[in-house]
Amino acid sequence: MRLTFLALSLFLASCVSAQSSVQEFQLGGTARILNDECIRLTPDAQYASGSAWYEKAIDLTRPFELTVCLVLGNRDELGADGIGFVFHPVMRTGYRGEGMGFAGLVPSLGIEFDTYQNFHLGDPAGDHVAITVNGQPHHYASLVGPNEVPNLEDGNKHLLWIQWDPFRKQLTVQLDGKERALLQLDLVKEVFAGKAKVFWGVTAATGRKTNAQDICIKKLVFAEAQPD
């Protein structure tokens, strides 16, 4: 255990740590910069979809930490659809709406913060977190969850921390200071066919029901992947 901690500490020391700028993201759809740290992915309007992809690829053989705040609007019963984090070898967004921006992407890893119940996808009644692979939005294919969380559509910022530990092959998702999802899997081998270089992005969508949905960047710790 002590050796693993020392190795992780040395790897983190060699990683890039930054108070990253919103200018380092490639925006798509309805995504717009709000201020120095926040991006509005969707306005409070029907059938909107937006994406923000970080411009630097990361190396999954090294540790990765992401600290952001999510704002999922203030409409509860009338709100939708949520925010998804996507890891994929290229900067490409999948199907929007209920697909949360990761549907149809192969190979991929998706972490969803879903605020709308789609019965045909196996969603629970409340807001929930799930981890899925290869663009499959139905929860029969979820590796973790869906795990219900307290209401996210309260207009407040919700602190999110995502960490990848390549030594333990462990992905941890904490929301508002509590662990909401834990995945034990060799992502490089089992998801990305041995390729450690991936991009990550965040996507959001609305449908008939709406919410303004934002992401505010706090801190990134990662190892930048070498160019092909």
Side-chain angles (χ1 to χ4, degrees):
M1 181 69 71
R2 186 173 299 174
L3 181 60
T4 300
F5 177 78
L6 176 60
L8 180 60
S9 299
L10 291 173
F11 266 82
L12 283 172
S14 66
C15 291
V16 175
S17 178
Q19 188 83 20
S20 293
S21 166
V22 293
Q23 303 294 337
E24 295 177 292
F25 288 80
Q26 294 190 18
L27 307 185
T30 58
R32 299 291 183 270
I33 293 174
L34 287 181
N35 51 47
D36 289 343
E37 67 173 26
C38 296
I39 296 171
R40 173 147 295 169
L41 296 167
T42 65
D44 189 2
Q46 290 184 328
Y47 303 106
S49 60
S51 63
W53 283 90
Y54 192 61
E55 63 184 9
K56 298 175 183 177
I58 62 174
D59 181 355
L60 290 179
T61 65
R62 312 283 287 278
F64 171 75
E65 290 185 17
L66 164 67
T67 305
V68 302
C69 284
L70 304 180
V71 181
L72 290 113
N74 55 19
R75 296 177 183 268
D76 189 5
E77 293 300 323
L78 297 177
D81 274 271
I83 289 177
F85 285 76
V86 189
F87 296 82
H88 190 54
V90 296
M91 287 185 280
R92 185 170 70 235
T93 303
Y95 301 126
R96 316 276 185 158
E98 65 186 30
M100 304 289 287
F102 61 79
L105 294 181
V106 180
S108 69
L109 180 81
I111 306 172
E112 67 170 32
F113 299 85
D114 197 333
T115 60
Y116 182 74
Q117 185 179 24
N118 290 291
F119 294 96
H120 62 287
L121 297 181
D123 287 349
D127 297 345
H128 55 277
V129 178
I131 301 177
T132 188
V133 293
N134 295 332
Q136 302 178 78
H138 197 291
H139 288 303
Y140 78 83
S142 293
L143 298 180
V144 178
N147 298 333
E148 289 200 54
V149 297
N151 178 39
L152 298 176
E153 299 161 292
D154 56 6
N156 297 322
K157 288 185 177 181
H158 294 272
L159 183 64
L160 170 65
W161 181 71
I162 300 174
Q163 184 205 49
W164 165 242
D165 182 343
F167 305 103
R168 296 180 179 178
K169 305 295 188 291
Q170 182 171 287
L171 182 70
T172 305
V173 179
Q174 291 185 1
L175 185 65
D176 292 330
K178 295 184 178 181
E179 184 178 294
R180 302 299 184 180
L182 181 68
L183 175 64
Q184 199 84 38
L185 187 70
D186 188 339
L187 297 183
V188 176
K189 179 181 178 181
E190 302 296 335
V191 178
F192 296 107
K195 297 182 179 180
K197 177 183 176 181
V198 297
F199 291 89
W200 72 271
V202 58
T203 64
T206 67
R208 288 183 297 105
K209 296 185 176 183
T210 67
N211 257 322
Q213 299 172 114
D214 308 336
I215 178 175
C216 299
I217 310 301
K218 295 299 183 182
K219 185 179 179 181
L220 300 180
V221 180
F222 66 99
E224 188 173 347
Q226 296 300 312
D228 293 331

